[in-house]
Every structure is written in C-alpha cells, then in structure tokens.
Amino acid sequence: INDEVAAGVSSDRVVVGGFSQGGAVAIYSALTTPQPLAGAVALSSYIPLAPSLMEEVTALTEHGKGTKVFWGHGDADPLVKYAYGLKSKELLEKLGVPVDFRTYRGMQHSACDAEIADLLKFLQSRLPPTAAEEGASGSAAAAAVDPPE
C-alpha cells in the first residue's frame, strides 16, 4: 500500500486482495491500515483466529472498518473449508466491516468464471474511472470518430 502511495496512487484507489493465505494477508492489511482503501478481496480464504492476531484485527482502524470486502468461496473447498470462510465473514460483520460474500456451488479450492465475473463487477464499482480517465477515453473516442485530416 505504501509503495503504491509513494508511486503517486491515492490510497482510495488501491484494492488489496489475494487467494487462500494471500487473501488472509490482504484482509489483515486492509483492516489495519491507517489509510482509506478502495476495497479488499479474499478468494477461498479465511481470517486466522490466533488470539494475538485477533487482538490486532479487532482493534480496527476507522479506515479498516470502512473498507468494503469482496469474499468469494466455493462450498466444496477441501483445503480452506467453506465454514472457515463463513466464520470469517461473520467476524467481519460483527466488527462492522461491509462484506459481499459470494458462494460458488461445487467450486473447490480454485476460481470459476462466475467468481471472476463477480470480482470484476466489485472492482468496477470500487474503482470507477477518474475524471482524467474519462476525459482521456472521451478524447480517444472523439479522435477515432473524427480522425485528423
């Protein structure tokens, strides 16, 4: 997050995410960062429930509490049990974190087309084009319609 901000990206344009253990790290980072983020993504993941970690996670930053989370999990996951995903979602909701939890029937410890499509919608909702991006795409569209002579 700090590297992106140092590179000139506003923290509210950053989404952190990961799959499995990477999702656990992403959620932890999102909940404890002092900066506002655009969102967080956890795919087939969990929140480790070690007591020392729980103390940190329950001491959410205000920005962490406001971070919207997309969570996708297959109900046939043999590695990170579906129940772990549900318990993690429930914990986040108890802490006041908004979670969009999606269940994918029959999906194991992997991803599927429906999950990727849902993730894309989430990212589009959290990262709408900036005015500069819209202006650039409008200029490009105008140039394509009216090529220079």
Side-chain angles (χ1 to χ4, degrees):
I1 297 167
N2 291 335
D3 288 348
E4 292 300 316
V5 171
V9 177
S10 175
S11 69
D12 64 358
R13 300 285 298 166
V14 173
V15 175
V16 293
F19 177 85
S20 194
Q21 187 172 352
V25 172
I27 295 299
Y28 175 81
S29 297
L31 296 179
T32 58
T33 185
Q35 302 150 312
L37 298 179
V41 174
L43 305 176
S44 299
S45 194
Y46 60 98
I47 295 176
L49 299 177
S52 61
L53 181 62
M54 289 311 302
E55 287 177 23
E56 291 181 48
V57 169
T58 54
L60 296 177
T61 64
E62 278 308 305
H63 295 303
K65 195 177 271 193
T67 301
K68 295 198 177 16
V69 174
F70 175 86
W71 197 298
H73 212 115
D75 64 358
D77 190 333
L79 296 177
V80 177
K81 304 285 187 209
Y82 180 66
Y84 299 165
L86 285 176
K87 285 192 181 297
S88 297
K89 170 190 103 72
E90 291 165 6
L91 171 64
L92 290 175
E93 290 175 339
K94 277 185 192 173
L95 296 172
V97 177
V99 182
D100 179 3
F101 188 92
R102 303 290 178 104
T103 300
Y104 300 95
R105 301 275 174 235
M107 188 176 83
Q108 296 191 13
H109 197 63
S110 61
C112 66
D113 290 343
E115 182 180 44
I116 299 303
D118 290 341
L119 174 57
L120 177 60
K121 289 176 192 167
F122 174 79
L123 292 172
Q124 289 170 332
S125 75
R126 302 307 308 149
L127 297 169
T130 63
E133 291 168 337
E134 285 190 0
S137 66
S139 299
V145 174
D146 297 321
E149 295 178 20

